[in-house]
Amino acid sequence: MVPAWLWLLCFSILQVTLETEDGRVLWGPQPVLVHVKDENDQVPHFSQAIYRAQLSQGTRPGIPFLFLEASDQDEPGTANSDLRFHILSQAPAQPFPDMFQLEPRLGALALSPKGSISFDHALEGPYQLLVQVKDMGDQASGHQATATVEVSIVESTWASLEPIHLAENLRVLYPHHIAQVHWRGSDVHYHLESHPLGPFDVDAEGNLYVTRELDREVQAEYLLQVRAQNSRGEDYTVPLELHVLVMDENDNPPVCPPRGPAVSIPELSPPGTEVTRLSAEDADAPSSPNSHIVYQLLSPEPEDSVERRAFQVETTSGSVTLGGLPLRAGQDILLLVLAMDLAGAEGGLSSTCEVEVTVTDINDHAPEFTTSQIGPISLPEDVEPGTLVATLTATDADLEPAFRLMDFAIERVDMEGTFGLDWEPDSGHVQLRLCKNLSYEAAPSHEVVVVVRSVAELLGPGPGPGATATVTVLVERVIPPPKLDQESYEASVPISAPTGSLLLTVQPSDPMSRPLRFSLVNDSEGWLCIEKVSGKVRIAQSLQGAQPGDIYTVFVEAQDADEPRLSTSAPLVIHFLKAPPAPALTPAPVPSRYLCTPRQDHGVIVSGPSEDPDLASGHSPYSFALGPNPTVQRDWRLQTLNGSHAYLTLALHWVEPREYIVPVVVSHNAQMWQLRVQVIVCRCNVEGQCMRKVGRMKGMPTKLSAVGILVGTLVAIGIFLILIFTHWTLSRKKDLDQPADSVPLKATI
C-alpha cells in the first residue's frame, strides 16, 4: 500500500537549488514534478456482504431489480480499478441454474429470459446467489471479492383498477386521494401519465391524487397510466390503466344563439307560419335533465286567446310561429323568449333569447297613373324621330322598392310602332317619344294608350289589369323643304374647257316634287353659271388662272318656286385637269343603256374614246373609275374589262326605276375625261326586257316605218357583233386576263 505522504508527494512540486562550497548559487530554485506509479495492491470490496431483494411475479426479463455496488482504492480510470461483476452460483438451481443475469460493468441484477419463462414454476422460497467482483477488467488476473444476494419471490399486487367517478366542482381539500397502486418488488418508483393531461399525481407509496377541481365541460374523461419503474426509469411490467369519469352537475345555464339579423316575415302570412326556431345549447351532459331545455314567450306578452296573439312559442321545439293577430308591413318587433333547463323545474338555470322580427312588404298594390288623360298635343309632321312627346307619372303604394318597379307598354292600337317609351327601372316617370316620321295625310291624329303594370307578380285578392293613360297627339301639316338628288356634286374639267361647256345637271330627288329654282353661291371667280329652271351647270367664262390639280368649290342652292323660304343647298366641287394636247380628244357620246331592278346578272359596257392613236397602237390603255360622289360609289360598281372597256352594274339589289346619270372618269396618258353615262333603271319581264310606260299612239305604223325599224335593228345587231369581235381580238392581242364572272349577260350600245 502506498503511504499517504507519498500520495501527497506525487502531486507536490519540489524546489531544488545548486550551490558552491563558498555558498554561491550556481542554479537557482527549479520546480520538479514527482509522479508515483500505482500498483494493483488494493482489493475491491462490496458495499455490503449480503444483499436482500424482493422479486414480484410479472417482472419483465432484463429489467434490473437490484444494483450491486463495489469499490477499489487503486487509481481511478486505470485497469487496477476497472471492476467486473459475475454470478458464481445460484441456490437452488431449479428449475434452471441461470434464472438470473448480472450486468458485468454496472452490477445490475435482473431476471433472465429463461428464468422469465419458468418464473411461474419457480420455488416460493428465496434464491441465494453468490456474486463476485474482480478488478483488472476482463483480464484473468486481479483481485476479487464475493457477496451474497438473497432474492425473495413475492406474489404480484399489480392489478387493474375499477373506473373512478369524480364529481365536477368537488368542494374538498386538495390534493384529494382517489386510489392506490402497489408493486411488491424492491427498488420501485411510481410514474403517472394522464391522457389528456390532467390535474393528477402519484406519490412514492403509489397513492393517486387529484390536485384541483374538475370541469366536465372542459374534459369529461381521463385515462391515467401508472408505471412501476426501477431507479433507471425502466418499467418492471406493463403500466396499469385507470379511467376517471367526471360526473356532471347543473352548473351551465342554457346559451341562446347570438342575435343575428332580423327575421323577415311577409305581411298577410297565415297563422301558424313559422318565424324562426330557437336552438339554445346547454354545456351540461347531453340527454340529462341538466341539459333538457324548454321555452316560454316573455314579450310581447301572450294573450289568453290565440286570435289575439301575434306570436306563440312551442315549448319543447322552440318553434316561433304566427298567431291570429295580423301584422302590418314595416313593423319591427323584438321577441323575448326564456330558455330554461331541468325542463323548467324549480332550481334550474335559464337565459333570455332575443329574436328581431321585421314584417316585410308584399306586392299587393298595383301602380296607377296620376292622370288618365293627356293632351291634345300638337306636333308638326316633320318633327324628328326621338322627339319627346309627353312625360307620364305613375305611383305605387307598396313599401318595398322592388315592388315599386313598373313596366310600361303601348297597347296594340299603335300597330306601326310610331311611338315608343323610355323609362328608368326605378323611376315612376315614363317618356313618350316619337319613333317614326309623322304624316298628316296618313293620320292627322293619334291616340296613344299607355298601360302600366308591376314588374313583380301581384299578390293578394283581385290585383286586376294594369292602369292606363291616353295621350292625344294632333299632327300639323308641313311642306317639306326641297331635296336634291345628291348630297354633294363633283365634276372634273380641263382648264382649257370652252365657255358654255356643260359640267352636270342638278335635279330634285323626286322628279314629281314641286318645281325648284337654282342658283350658285360662293362662285368668287365667276367661272360657273347654272340655269335657273333646268339646273344645268355650265362654264360661264374662260378658266383663266386655274391650274391643273386645283379644286374649286361652290354651293348649289335650290329654292321652292312657290315657297322661297324653303330651300336647300349642296356643295359642288370642281377638279381642274390638265388641258389635253391638240387636237383635243372628244369622247364619243355615250348612248342610253338600261338595267333591271331588282338587280339581275347583267350590266352595261362603257368604252373610252376610239380616236386615241396610242390605244390603236397597243400602248397605254384607258383606266376607268366612278365619280367621287359618295352616292354614286354606294349605288354603282365599275369593273375594267380591258384597256378600252369597262363594265357598269348596280351595287344595290333594288333602286328606284328611273333615269340615272352615272359619272365615269376616264384617264389616259395624264389626260382625264368625265363620261356621263345615261342609264335607265326599269322593271323587267322574265326575259330581262325592260318594261317602260308609253303614251297613247296616234295612227297606225306604215310599212315603210316597219321596214326601217327592221333594218335599223339588223344594223344595230351587226355593229354589236363587230364590237364584240374587235374587243375579243384586242384582248387576245394584249394578253390580258378577263375574270370569267365579269362577262355581261346582256348589254345594249
Side-chain angles (χ1 to χ4, degrees), residues 36-112:
V36 179
K37 183 178 180 181
D38 179 45
E39 291 186 1
N40 188 20
D41 55 353
Q42 298 293 315
V43 179
H45 60 277
F46 283 98
S47 60
Q48 56 191 75
I50 299 176
Y51 293 88
R52 292 180 175 86
Q54 287 185 336
L55 181 62
S56 175
Q57 291 180 343
T59 302
R60 295 191 298 176
I63 303 301
F65 60 89
L66 178 65
F67 291 89
L68 304 180
E69 295 182 359
S71 59
D72 193 308
Q73 297 296 323
D74 288 321
E75 183 177 359
T78 64
N80 297 335
S81 60
D82 186 9
L83 304 181
R84 296 289 188 272
F85 297 89
H86 303 281
I87 298 177
L88 298 180
S89 64
Q90 169 190 316
Q94 290 82 22
F96 296 103
D98 50 352
M99 294 282 291
F100 301 93
Q101 63 184 24
L102 183 61
E103 210 284 324
R105 294 179 180 274
L106 301 178
L109 182 63
L111 188 66
S112 68

Side-chain angles (χ1 to χ4, degrees), residues 464-545:
T468 61
T470 302
V471 181
T472 303
V473 179
L474 302 180
V475 181
E476 297 178 355
R477 187 170 186 177
V478 175
I479 300 176
K483 186 176 181 181
L484 301 178
D485 60 344
Q486 298 183 24
E487 296 180 359
S488 63
Y489 297 88
E490 291 193 25
S492 298
V493 58
I495 58 176
S496 61
T499 301
S501 299
L502 177 64
L503 300 183
L504 52 84
T505 301
V506 179
Q507 297 178 343
S509 60
D510 184 6
M512 304 303 295
S513 63
R514 298 158 63 90
L516 302 180
R517 296 294 179 264
F518 300 97
S519 62
L520 293 179
V521 180
N522 200 34
D523 185 13
S524 58
E525 300 294 336
W527 286 337
L528 307 176
C529 64
I530 187 170
E531 295 181 4
K532 191 173 184 180
V533 177
S534 65
K536 293 183 178 180
V537 180
R538 299 180 182 275
I539 296 178
Q541 61 178 355
S542 174
L543 302 178
Q544 186 175 2

Side-chain angles (χ1 to χ4, degrees), residues 221-234:
E221 183 177 352
Y222 295 90
L223 176 62
L224 306 183
Q225 287 186 334
V226 185
R227 301 178 182 273
Q229 300 176 336
N230 58 21
S231 58
R232 293 197 307 188
E234 299 171 315

Side-chain angles (χ1 to χ4, degrees), residues 169-463:
N169 306 320
L170 187 63
R171 304 293 192 271
V172 295
L173 183 64
Y174 291 93
H176 175 62
H177 183 270
I178 58 174
Q180 184 178 13
V181 296
H182 179 63
W183 177 260
R184 293 188 62 186
S186 301
D187 187 29
V188 60
H189 302 271
Y190 297 103
H191 177 72
L192 176 66
E193 295 179 357
S194 173
H195 305 281
L197 184 63
F200 301 96
D201 198 6
V202 62
D203 62 10
E205 303 299 327
N207 294 306
L208 302 179
Y209 299 92
V210 57
T211 59
R212 56 179 173 82
E213 293 182 5
L214 300 178
D215 188 347
R216 192 205 67 83
E217 288 70 42
V218 175
Q219 184 63 40
E221 183 177 352
Y222 295 90
L223 176 62
L224 306 183
Q225 287 186 334
V226 185
R227 301 178 182 273
Q229 300 176 336
N230 58 21
S231 58
R232 293 197 307 188
E234 299 171 315
D235 291 345
Y236 283 122
T237 186
V238 295
L240 287 182
E241 291 187 351
L242 175 62
H243 289 271
V244 178
L245 304 178
V246 184
M247 306 303 295
D248 183 48
E249 288 189 354
N250 190 23
D251 58 342
N252 291 280
V255 177
C256 296
R259 179 176 171 181
V263 179
S264 298
I265 188 75
E267 64 173 334
L268 302 182
S269 296
T273 301
E274 185 174 77
V275 177
T276 186
R277 185 178 292 268
L278 294 174
S279 180
E281 296 181 354
D282 196 309
D284 291 319
S287 303
S288 70
N290 297 336
S291 60
H292 186 187
I293 301 174
V294 295
Y295 302 90
Q296 178 184 346
L297 181 64
L298 296 180
S299 175
E301 296 182 3
E303 300 288 344
D304 296 334
S305 174
V306 176
E307 289 75 14
R308 300 178 60 186
R309 297 178 187 172
F311 300 93
Q312 52 188 1
V313 178
E314 209 284 323
T315 305
T316 56
S317 66
S319 175
V320 181
T321 58
L322 292 180
L325 186 64
L327 302 175
R328 301 187 309 273
Q331 282 184 287
D332 292 324
I333 304 170
L334 181 63
L335 300 181
L336 301 180
V337 180
L338 187 65
M340 303 171 289
D341 61 11
L342 291 182
E346 184 178 357
L349 305 177
S350 64
S351 298
T352 301
C353 304
E354 295 182 352
V355 178
E356 185 178 357
V357 178
T358 297
V359 183
T360 59
D361 185 31
I362 64 172
N363 192 21
D364 57 343
H365 294 89
E368 296 180 353
F369 283 108
T370 56
T371 179
S372 60
Q373 295 290 335
I374 298 178
I377 300 173
S378 297
L379 292 178
E381 64 177 345
D382 63 345
V383 67
E384 292 291 334
T387 301
L388 176 64
V389 178
T391 300
L392 294 81
T393 302
T395 59
D396 193 311
D398 289 310
L399 301 179
E400 183 66 29
F403 298 151
R404 295 202 302 268
L405 296 179
M406 306 174 196
D407 188 21
F408 299 90
I410 298 177
E411 288 192 342
R412 300 295 294 176
V413 175
D414 183 28
M415 298 294 292
E416 297 182 356
T418 305
F419 297 92
L421 300 176
D422 289 333
W423 71 93
E424 295 293 333
D426 56 349
S427 171
H429 304 287
V430 60
Q431 295 179 338
L432 178 65
R433 293 186 178 273
L434 185 66
C435 294
K436 293 184 177 180
N437 292 321
L438 296 174
S439 174
Y440 177 84
E441 290 77 7
S445 64
H446 298 268
E447 283 194 354
V448 185
V449 179
V450 182
V451 62
V452 59
R453 296 182 179 88
S454 179
V455 173
E457 181 182 0
L458 286 173
L459 304 176

Side-chain angles (χ1 to χ4, degrees), residues 620-685:
S620 303
Y622 290 104
S623 62
F624 300 86
L626 289 172
N629 188 295
T631 303
V632 174
Q633 299 282 347
R634 181 196 65 192
D635 296 345
W636 301 90
R637 290 291 180 267
L638 187 65
Q639 182 179 5
T640 301
L641 290 176
N642 50 37
S644 60
H645 295 81
Y647 192 58
L648 180 66
T649 59
L650 282 172
L652 302 179
H653 179 71
W654 187 90
V655 297
E656 182 180 356
R658 64 181 178 89
E659 181 179 319
Y660 291 86
I661 301 298
V662 182
V664 177
V665 179
V666 183
S667 302
H668 176 66
N669 290 339
Q671 301 181 36
M672 297 180 65
W673 298 267
Q674 180 172 349
L675 302 181
R676 293 172 52 81
V677 181
Q678 184 178 11
V679 179
I680 298 175
V681 178
C682 59
R683 294 184 179 274
C684 299
N685 56 20

